[in-house]
Amino acid sequence: MNFSDFSKASQQFNQFSPEMKEQMMKMAKARVKEKLLKWFATPTFVLLGIVLGAVIGALTACFGDISDKLSAIRDANPLYFIPALAIGGAAIVFAYKKWGRWTERGMDQVFAVGLNKESDFPLVSIPMAAVSTWLTQLFGGSAGREGAAMQIGSALSYNISKKLPFENAAHVMLVTGLAAGFAGIFQTPMAATAFALEVLLVGHLELGALLPAAAAAFTACKVSSMLGFHKFSVDLSSLLDASGFSASIFTNEGALDGKLLVKLALMGVLFGIVGGGFAKLLGLSQDFFAKKFPNAIKRIAIMGAGLSVLLLVFFQGRYAGLGTNLLDMCFGIAGNADVIGNVAGDAVNAVGTAADLGNAAGIAGYDWILKFALTILTLSAGFIGGVVTPLFAIGATFGIFIAGMFGVPLPLAAALGFAAVFASASNTLWAPILIAGEIFGFNCLPAFFIVCTVAYICNGGQSIYKQKKIRIKI
């Protein structure tokens, strides 16, 4: 605008009535404020993400450390604690009715808020989720703990967002808190960021929250690690080198190894069926037992008593808790180089049977089935925690079970199942691929990509998250 145009505009403005001038000035101020808020929104979200990541990382490290200690106490004394599972379950339901009403839905509430179905996310859900998960772990319920960690992160961040003047602040901060909670408990920041971005809406990434979610995830991971919380990780490349097996789908000339590609795809189909089947049966089981026992205290007490018997009958707590004992057998006890080298060599030569492979790893062919069933029953009864770590255990043990069928080394089969069953059950793709890379190393990333992609496609559209909104594209 040149001087003459400005002069004309000024003369026109002076001709307006005082009321019109006041209205125009208000509009101009609102426009400037809107622009400023838009410019400052992302930097503010990122700074808040870093602060929240530090706080949530500390909280999840403390939460996870206590969970580990309680699990160790139970493992050392299974006959003292597992028989009291029903009492612990009744205490959980009573506590929610007394102090945490409307917060007992766990991750379902996170999804209800994230999908704008609800706007209330009480902070009391943080201590309720943590203590209830500790009780579940102490008394041997077959459940995870990431659900509580993500509730801690999302509840805290969502309530802080209510004080922010920015557009869509609640949604961005909820995703940020989810990423921080996931990263704090698993210490896999890239997977945590991807999970938070993709989990709310199928086929859609919440890229508006990318920077704050990543900042929160990496900060939470660092703080959690600095506080001494243990991260589960496996040097898969070393284990495969000991067996002389290459998991690369590419030859030296860059061409695809068609035989390995077909094997990985077929394994992905099986992993997809297991993960999708778990999600489907979990939903059916929860609905069935909710109708069978409408009273929540009676339901958890009766089913808790039955679960105590089953958990003790099946090898005195082998399937209690997170399932990390099974993961240790898949990657730790079986991680002896001599054992893996011999067993993997049999697998490559298609000599070892599935039973031989499982026995060598300390894993039985029925481990994945029993962990599968007991986890569903535990969550259907109403115990609080999560499902991701048990899914890791189910996938890894199932991977070892089918390793001999495909001539794949034990550690590779277990790692593929670890990631792919999680992908199919959660109906997410990028988070499982990245968590495989962060836990097992990125050398085998193409193999994880193929197996997780096929498992994701073959899960029947199922998800462990009931209130997840499914986008159907025609």
Side-chain angles (χ1 to χ4, degrees):
M1 178 181 291
N2 56 38
F3 180 78
S4 60
D5 291 336
F6 178 81
S7 177
K8 291 179 181 179
S10 177
Q11 292 176 1
Q12 292 177 350
F13 180 78
N14 291 330
Q15 294 175 357
F16 294 139
S17 64
E19 293 80 7
M20 181 65 72
K21 290 179 181 179
E22 183 179 358
Q23 186 66 24
M24 292 177 68
M25 289 299 296
K26 287 182 178 179
M27 292 174 62
K29 289 179 181 178
R31 186 73 179 272
V32 171
K33 183 179 179 181
E34 180 182 346
K35 287 286 186 182
L36 289 174
L37 287 176
K38 189 174 181 180
W39 289 339
F40 284 105
T42 298
T44 303
F45 286 146
V46 171
L47 289 174
L48 280 173
I50 293 172
V51 174
L52 281 170
V55 174
I56 294 167
L59 290 174
T60 51
C62 178
F63 162 74
D65 187 57
I66 293 174
S67 174
D68 285 341
K69 286 181 169 60
L70 293 175
S71 296
I73 293 172
R74 182 205 66 235
D75 289 341
N77 306 278
L79 296 179
Y80 290 101
F81 290 97
I82 293 178
L85 182 60
I87 297 174
I92 290 172
V93 175
F94 175 80
Y96 269 107
K97 289 186 177 295
K98 182 73 173 178
W99 298 292
R101 190 174 293 274
W102 312 118
T103 66
E104 68 273 12
R105 291 172 296 155
M107 285 298 292
D108 285 350
Q109 184 169 17
V110 176
F111 279 87
V113 173
L115 296 173
N116 297 320
K117 295 180 179 179
E118 297 179 13
S119 59
D120 190 26
F121 200 167
L123 285 172
V124 71
S125 63
I126 294 176
M128 293 302 300
V131 174
S132 298
T133 301
W134 288 336
L135 288 174
T136 298
Q137 296 302 318
L138 177 63
F139 294 109
S142 179
R145 60 188 177 188
E146 87 294 332
M150 288 192 285
Q151 286 178 68
I152 291 170
S154 55
L156 182 62
S157 59
Y158 181 79
N159 279 276
I160 289 176
S161 73
K162 293 182 177 180
K163 303 182 182 300
L164 299 178
F166 306 113
E167 183 182 1
N168 207 28
H171 192 74
V172 170
M173 295 310 295
L174 181 80
V175 172
T176 300
L178 276 174
F182 193 102
I185 203 68
F186 289 123
Q187 293 183 5
T188 53
M190 289 187 289
T193 303
F195 183 82
L197 295 180
E198 70 177 319
V199 74
L200 291 177
L201 293 174
V202 174
H204 173 74
L205 293 175
E206 299 289 346
L207 293 179
L210 174 59
L211 287 178
F218 277 90
T219 305
C221 175
K222 182 63 176 178
V223 171
S224 177
S225 177
M226 288 173 61
L227 293 175
F229 186 60
H230 172 69
K231 174 188 176 181
F232 177 78
S233 62
V234 176
D235 187 355
L236 185 60
S237 294
S238 296
L239 299 181
L240 292 179
D241 288 342
S243 71
F245 183 90
S246 174
S248 175
I249 64 170
F250 301 103
T251 65
N252 292 333
E253 294 78 20
L256 288 174
D257 183 345
K259 186 177 179 180
L260 180 58
L261 192 63
V262 171
K263 287 182 180 180
L264 294 174
L266 291 175
M267 292 178 75
V269 172
L270 295 179
F271 291 138
I273 292 172
V274 170
F278 180 93
K280 181 65 175 180
L281 290 175
L282 175 61
L284 293 175
S285 178
Q286 288 176 327
D287 292 341
F288 173 79
F289 286 110
K291 293 177 182 177
K292 188 73 173 178
F293 304 108
N295 185 297
I297 291 183
K298 287 184 178 179
R299 177 171 68 251
I300 204 168
I302 293 171
M303 294 184 68
L307 280 166
S308 294
V309 174
L310 292 174
L311 288 167
L312 289 174
V313 167
F314 295 129
F315 315 109
Q316 294 191 7
R318 180 180 176 93
Y319 308 106
L322 299 170
T324 51
N325 59 318
L326 297 174
L327 291 174
D328 287 341
M329 283 187 277
C330 290
F331 300 106
I333 296 176
N336 180 277
D338 294 332
V339 173
I340 282 193
N342 294 333
V343 173
D346 286 342
V348 172
N349 295 321
V351 174
T353 64
D356 293 333
L357 295 172
N359 291 334
I363 295 295
Y366 47 76
D367 278 334
W368 73 274
I369 299 175
L370 292 177
K371 188 64 178 176
F372 183 109
L374 290 169
T375 301
I376 287 177
L377 290 174
T378 297
L379 297 173
S380 299
F383 288 96
I384 304 299
V387 68
V388 171
T389 308
L391 283 171
F392 291 157
I394 293 166
T397 51
F398 180 69
I400 283 183
F401 175 67
I402 66 173
M405 304 177 192
F406 296 95
V408 174
L410 279 179
L412 177 61
L416 293 171
F418 180 105
V421 169
F422 169 45
S424 59
S426 64
N427 210 15
T428 58
L429 176 60
W430 302 111
I433 294 171
L434 288 172
I435 203 171
E438 291 182 281
I439 288 178
F440 301 108
F442 287 93
N443 288 345
C444 298
L445 193 63
F448 288 116
F449 178 84
I450 293 167
V451 171
C452 289
T453 300
V454 175
Y456 174 78
I457 293 171
C458 296
N459 78 336
Q462 302 300 317
S463 173
I464 52 177
Y465 303 115
K466 291 198 305 184
Q467 291 189 331
K468 186 174 182 179
K469 182 178 179 181
I470 306 296
R471 284 189 170 184
I472 301 176
K473 296 183 178 180
I474 301 177

